[in-house]
């Protein structure tokens, strides 16, 4: 059981950052059920590791890093799952491409194109463009140098431009 003061602090953080965190979870996950699980697991990890949080630093980047790391851990666990033992990379890609992503109708092609990006590029795009993190914060969250984050965003923009070449509504 957590102390009353810690519980109130966590409640305050959920009030303040919960909506943005859920938006990040929805951006990362292919469906709302996985997003719900990621959201809950992120807050459980926050509660478990709140003693490691340095209160002299901003809370949201710490929370975002926990969410992204939790997401990555889930992907690694699923990749090793015997239920997803694919005989070929093409089979895996076909299955992943068939999973519907939650998308706004107006921006469906954009969200689909972002969803097709390689994972490293997709995470950089989501943090920088969808979550509004600056380059340094996104790089820190991903635990990569700023130059690498910049390079990933540049490559992602080029790939998105190619993928969306026929779209005039965006």
């Amino acid at each position: 059981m957590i102390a009353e003061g810690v519980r109130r602090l966590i409640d305050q953080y959920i009030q303040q950052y919960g909506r943005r965190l859920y938006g990040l979870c929805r951006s990362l996950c292919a469906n709302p059920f996985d997003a719900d699980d990621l959201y809950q697991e992120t807050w459980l990890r926050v509660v478990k590791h709140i003693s490691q949080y340095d209160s002299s630093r901003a809370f949201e980047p710490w929370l975002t890093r926990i969410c992204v790391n939790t997401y990555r851990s889930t992907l690694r666990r699923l990749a090793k799952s015997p239920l997803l033992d694919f005989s070929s990379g093409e089979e895996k890609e076909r299955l992943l491409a068939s999973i519907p992503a939650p998308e706004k109708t107006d921006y469906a092609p954009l969200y689909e194109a972002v969803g097709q990006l390689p994972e490293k590029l997709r995470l950089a795009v989501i943090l920088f463009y969808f979550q509004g993190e600056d380059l340094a914060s996104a790089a820190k969250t991903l635990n990569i140098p700023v130059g690498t984050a910049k390079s990933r965003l540049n490559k992602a923009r080029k790939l998105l431009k190619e993928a969306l070449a026929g779209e005039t509504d965006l």
Side-chain angles (χ1 to χ4, degrees):
M1 190 159 157
I2 59 175
E4 183 64 25
V6 173
R7 187 188 64 76
R8 273 192 293 233
L9 181 64
I10 298 295
D11 286 346
Q12 179 185 347
Y13 285 146
I14 290 171
Q15 283 285 144
Q16 190 173 356
Y17 300 105
R19 199 172 222 166
R20 281 183 56 85
L21 176 65
Y22 189 71
L24 173 61
C25 293
R26 287 295 302 260
S27 296
L28 292 172
C29 296
N31 67 60
F33 302 111
D34 290 341
D36 291 347
D37 289 346
L38 177 60
Y39 179 82
Q40 185 174 25
E41 182 63 29
T42 299
W43 283 116
L44 288 172
R45 288 186 183 195
V46 166
V47 169
K48 184 177 179 181
H49 299 288
I50 194 69
S51 63
Q52 297 172 3
Y53 168 61
D54 178 3
S55 59
S56 68
R57 295 177 173 242
F59 181 76
E60 192 170 18
W62 186 72
L63 175 65
T64 302
R65 182 174 296 155
I66 289 174
C67 181
V68 169
N69 288 341
T70 301
Y71 172 73
R72 287 175 167 170
S73 295
T74 301
L75 286 182
R76 281 191 298 273
R77 189 171 48 252
L78 287 174
K80 294 177 184 177
S81 170
L83 296 175
L84 296 176
D85 188 20
F86 299 103
S87 59
S88 74
E90 291 175 8
E91 184 180 347
K92 179 180 176 182
E93 290 300 318
R94 217 176 6 263
L95 175 67
L96 291 174
S98 73
I99 298 171
E103 302 169 300
K104 292 182 180 178
T105 308
D106 296 337
Y107 296 103
L110 174 62
Y111 286 117
E112 186 176 324
V114 170
Q116 298 299 316
L117 288 173
E119 193 63 26
K120 290 178 178 181
L121 302 180
R122 190 170 79 86
L123 283 173
V125 166
I126 288 170
L127 291 173
F128 187 76
Y129 291 107
F130 295 172
Q131 290 302 114
E133 289 192 12
D134 62 25
L135 198 56
S137 296
K140 187 173 182 181
T141 298
L142 296 171
N143 201 25
I144 58 175
V146 173
T148 302
K150 192 173 184 179
S151 171
R152 287 181 185 178
L153 287 170
N154 188 40
K155 185 169 184 175
R157 279 191 297 269
K158 287 179 183 176
L159 291 173
L160 289 171
K161 186 175 181 180
E162 289 173 14
L164 299 170
E167 295 297 323
T168 57
D169 297 345
L170 300 176

